[in-house]
Structures are given as structure tokens and as C-alpha cells.
């Protein structure tokens, strides 16, 4: 398995390409996104998830084996929960108020969002990374890099009910609850696997950019967004046809991606640019570029408060952006 490819982001781009980005950015309309807070969290914060009902933000800290819990009203960390080694992906089920964390112990930690206590530990595949939840079915989906599989967990029983073979180095995962489709990025295959949530079978494999890492879904427009770390692009896919409809040039080393369905904007964390690209989902154009902390990786948002949360791996902080 070519793990060197999957973690190599340091390919230098030509100077004219950087200039082109600046020129294009100069002609886009200005928006008023501003960083309104910077929160110190654990060591190497990576992925962010939000519970809009409780206004709690959850951040995995890969180097110290903890999950930071942030109060979204006060912009302060209120708890640090020890989980397994090298925690990575995190997702929230707002209906059950359960938080799911993937870690290097090949398990998923299940945390009660009310008490911040671990209430279950679920064995999954080898090197679990991405986590996503379908709240309608109470199913949790976990990408297992070394197993090249997706574990399907029943949230009612906290047990694995199915295992789905996907592509090489499955990394990110996202769910469209309306269509019951699950989307998995295969970093070393440069593809996106589409899974039917009823049958737990792969029904399509879509070619995307170089080193696809993370994926997000706009359920209202049925658009799927994939960050391609080595291409410096965002792939835009039509969920109805499984066809690529646009490729958007973003910053250097795009990693995390999140969607605001209310205003149809997409937010991309560019790890090597220390920025977040803001994209208009109608025009597929960048409308703003926000400077954040050092090494932004994960990004999530609270549509109720219109705040974006960015995990900065190399500054051990979370940037809070008001849209």
C-alpha cells in the first residue's frame, strides 16, 4: 500500500499558478467573514464536529489521545475527554446526543454528549479514520484505511452490522440522509465510492482529483464536494447522476470541507496555505479567502449560529469564524 502517496502534501506548485489564484480572488465579491475567536485545544487538533442542538463543538487531538469539548456560546473548552490512541475522525448524532470518535486502537469510542462520559467502545477495522452518521437510520459509517473497508455500526446496539469493501486507502466519509447514499474518498485510488445505504453495497465509483481526502454533502442541492490534496482542487459532483460537474481551484493542500445548506456556501480548509476558501455553491466560484491558524485541517459549522470552526494542527488551536 502506497502510504507515502497518501500523506505527501509537499509537492510545490509553479509561481504562475499562485499568481492566477490571486488574480481570480481579486475579481470575486467580498464577504464579511471574520475570525471572532481562537481556542486553545489539545495536541495536533485534526477533525471537528458540531452538535447544533447543544451548541457543542468536538475536536480530536491526534497527538495526546483526547477529545476537546467546546462551548459554542462562550468559545471556551469545557472538557477534555481521554479516548483511544491517535484519535482522528469524529461525528455527532444530534438526535441521540452521542459522539463517535475513531482512534488508533481500531475502535470507535461512543461518548454521551450530556455527561461527556464514554458509554461504549466498538471494535472496527484496521486504522479507522473517517466517521459519519445517518441520523434517520441511526447508522454510523467508519472508513478503515488499512482494511480498505467501511464498517457499518448500528447506533442502537453499538455493534458492527456490516463491512463494505471500498477502494485503496479509504479516508473521508459523508452521508446524504435524503437519498441514503454514503460517499467514501479513496485517497490512493483517486476515486469516490458511492454506497447504497439500504443494501450496503458500492453502486458507483467516481474518478476525482489527486489524493482525495475529505467529502461533504449538500442535501438540498444533492451536490457532493471532495477535496483533492495534491491537485489543490475541490471536485463538485451531481448526486443524481454521479457525474463530476466542476473542478474548483482552491488553496494549497486542501483537506477538510464543510457545507452550509442555508446559504449554499462551501468551506475548504487549505492546510499548506493556512486559509479557508469560501465557495458559492451556485456559481462554483471562490467568494472569500479567510486566514486562520497554522495547518488548518478539519472544518465544521453550526448553521444556527452561522459559525465555522477550523482545527489548526500545528498551532493547537481552533479558529472560530463568523460568517
Amino acid at each position: 500500500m502506497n502510504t507515502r502517496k497518501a500523506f505527501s502534501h509537499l509537492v510545490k506548485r509553479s509561481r504562475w499558478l499562485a499568481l492566477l489564484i490571486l488574480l481570480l480572488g481579486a475579481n470575486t465579491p467580498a464577504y464579511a467573514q471574520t475570525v471572532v475567536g481562537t481556542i486553545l485545544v489539545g495536541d495536533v487538533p485534526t477533525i471537528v464536529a458540531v452538535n447544533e442542538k447543544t451548541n457543542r463543538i468536538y475536536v480530536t487531538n491526534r497527538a495526546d489521545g483526547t477529545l476537546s469539548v467546546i462551548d459554542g456560546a462562550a468559545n471556551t473548552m469545557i472538557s477534555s475527554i481521554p479516548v483511544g490512541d491517535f484519535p482522528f475522525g469524529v461525528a455527532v448524532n444530534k438526535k441521540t446526543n452521542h459522539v463517535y470518535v475513531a482512534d488508533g486502537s481500531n475502535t470507535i469510542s461512543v461518548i454521551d454528549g450530556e455527561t461527556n462520559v464514554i458509554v461504549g467502545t466498538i471494535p472496527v477495522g484496521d486504522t479507522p479514520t473517517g466517521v459519519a452518521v445517518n441520523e434517520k437510520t441511526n447508522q454510523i459509517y467508519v472508513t478503515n484505511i488499512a482494511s480498505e473497508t467501511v464498517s457499518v455500526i448500528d447506533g442502537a446496539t453499538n455493534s458492527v452490522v456490516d463491512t463494505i469493501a471500498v477502494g485503496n486507502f479509504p479516508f473521508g466519509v459523508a452521508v446524504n440522509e435524503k437519498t441514503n447514499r454514503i460517499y467514501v474518498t479513496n485517497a490512493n485510488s483517486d476515486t469516490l465510492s458511492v454506497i447504497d445505504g439500504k443494501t450496503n453495497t458500492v453502486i458507483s465509483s467516481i474518478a476525482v482529483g489527486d489524493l482525495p481526502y475529505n467529502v461533504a454533502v449538500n442535501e438540498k442541492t444533492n451536490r457532493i464536494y471532495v477535496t483533492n490534496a495534491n491537485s489543490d482542487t475541490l471536485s463538485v459532483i451531481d448526486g443524481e447522476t454521479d457525474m463530476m460537474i466542476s473542478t474548483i481551484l482552491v488553496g494549497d493542500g486542501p483537506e477538510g470541507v464543510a457545507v452550509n445548506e442555508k446559504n449554499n456556501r462551501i468551506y475548504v480548509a487549505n492546510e499548506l496555505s493556512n486559509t479557508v476558501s469560501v465557495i458559492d455553491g451556485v456559481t462554483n466560484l471562490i467568494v472569500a479567502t479567510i486566514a486562520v491558524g497554522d495547518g488548518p485541517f478539519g472544518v465544521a459549522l453550526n448553521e444556527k449560529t452561522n459559525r465555522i470552526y477550523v482545527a489548526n494542527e500545528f498551532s493547537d488551536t481552533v479558529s472560530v469564524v463568523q460568517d
Side-chain angles (χ1 to χ4, degrees):
M1 181 176 296
N2 184 7
T3 56
R4 290 176 63 87
K5 175 186 175 186
F7 288 114
S8 174
H9 300 171
L10 301 179
V11 178
K12 299 298 181 183
R13 278 75 177 182
S14 58
R15 293 180 181 272
W16 71 265
L17 186 56
L19 178 60
L20 178 61
I21 297 172
L22 291 173
L23 289 173
L24 289 173
N27 293 322
T28 57
Y31 287 89
Q33 294 96 342
T34 55
V35 175
V36 295
T38 301
I39 306 165
L40 186 66
V41 289
D43 195 1
V44 191
T46 305
I47 301 296
V48 189
V50 173
N51 187 332
E52 294 182 352
K53 286 187 175 180
T54 62
N55 199 11
R56 293 288 184 266
I57 298 89
Y58 300 92
V59 184
T60 53
N61 304 298
R62 197 162 74 245
D64 64 17
T66 63
L67 180 76
S68 294
V69 185
I70 295 170
D71 181 336
N75 279 348
T76 56
M77 190 170 75
I78 58 176
S79 184
S80 180
I81 306 170
V83 289
D85 294 333
F86 306 108
F88 202 93
V90 57
V92 175
N93 187 327
K94 297 188 295 295
K95 289 184 177 179
T96 63
N97 200 11
H98 278 179
V99 184
Y100 300 90
V101 179
D103 57 57
S105 304
N106 297 336
T107 58
I108 298 296
S109 296
V110 185
I111 297 165
D112 184 329
E114 180 68 26
T115 63
N116 290 333
V117 172
I118 295 176
V119 295
T121 303
I122 309 166
V124 288
D126 194 356
T127 319
T129 304
V131 187
V133 173
N134 186 329
E135 293 183 351
K136 286 186 176 180
T137 62
N138 199 12
Q139 304 276 282
I140 300 93
Y141 301 90
V142 182
T143 57
N144 306 299
I145 286 177
S147 302
E148 299 185 354
T149 60
V150 172
S151 297
V152 185
I153 297 170
D154 183 337
T157 63
N158 282 344
S159 60
V160 175
V161 294
D162 210 341
T163 302
I164 307 165
V166 287
N168 192 330
F169 215 98
F171 197 90
V173 58
V175 173
N176 187 330
E177 293 184 352
K178 287 187 176 180
T179 62
N180 200 8
R181 293 287 186 268
I182 299 91
Y183 299 91
V184 176
T185 58
N186 304 300
N188 281 352
S189 302
D190 295 341
T191 59
L192 182 74
S193 294
V194 184
I195 297 170
D196 184 333
K198 290 183 179 180
T199 61
N200 286 337
T201 56
V202 176
I203 57 174
S204 183
S205 181
I206 305 167
V208 288
D210 189 6
L211 200 63
Y213 262 176
N214 288 294
V215 55
V217 173
N218 187 329
E219 293 184 350
K220 288 186 177 179
T221 62
N222 200 9
R223 293 288 185 266
I224 298 90
Y225 300 92
V226 179
T227 56
N228 306 299
N230 274 352
S231 302
D232 292 348
T233 58
L234 182 75
S235 297
V236 184
I237 296 162
D238 185 332
E240 180 68 26
T241 62
D242 289 343
M243 299 292 292
M244 182 118 60
I245 57 177
S246 184
T247 301
I248 305 168
L249 189 65
V250 288
D252 197 3
E255 295 287 356
V257 56
V259 172
N260 189 330
E261 294 184 348
K262 287 185 177 180
N263 60 21
N264 197 12
R265 288 184 191 165
I266 302 91
Y267 306 88
V268 177
N270 304 301
E271 186 182 28
L272 304 181
S273 300
N274 297 334
T275 61
V276 172
S277 298
V278 184
I279 297 162
D280 184 324
V282 176
T283 63
N284 288 331
L285 295 175
I286 293 176
V287 294
T289 300
I290 308 166
V292 289
D294 190 5
F297 195 98
V299 58
L301 63 93
N302 186 332
E303 290 186 351
K304 288 186 176 180
T305 62
N306 221 21
R307 285 192 168 180
I308 302 107
Y309 300 90
V310 184
N312 305 301
E313 286 195 306
F314 307 133
S315 56
D316 294 341
T317 61
V318 170
S319 297
V320 184
V321 178
Q322 186 67 57
D323 197 358

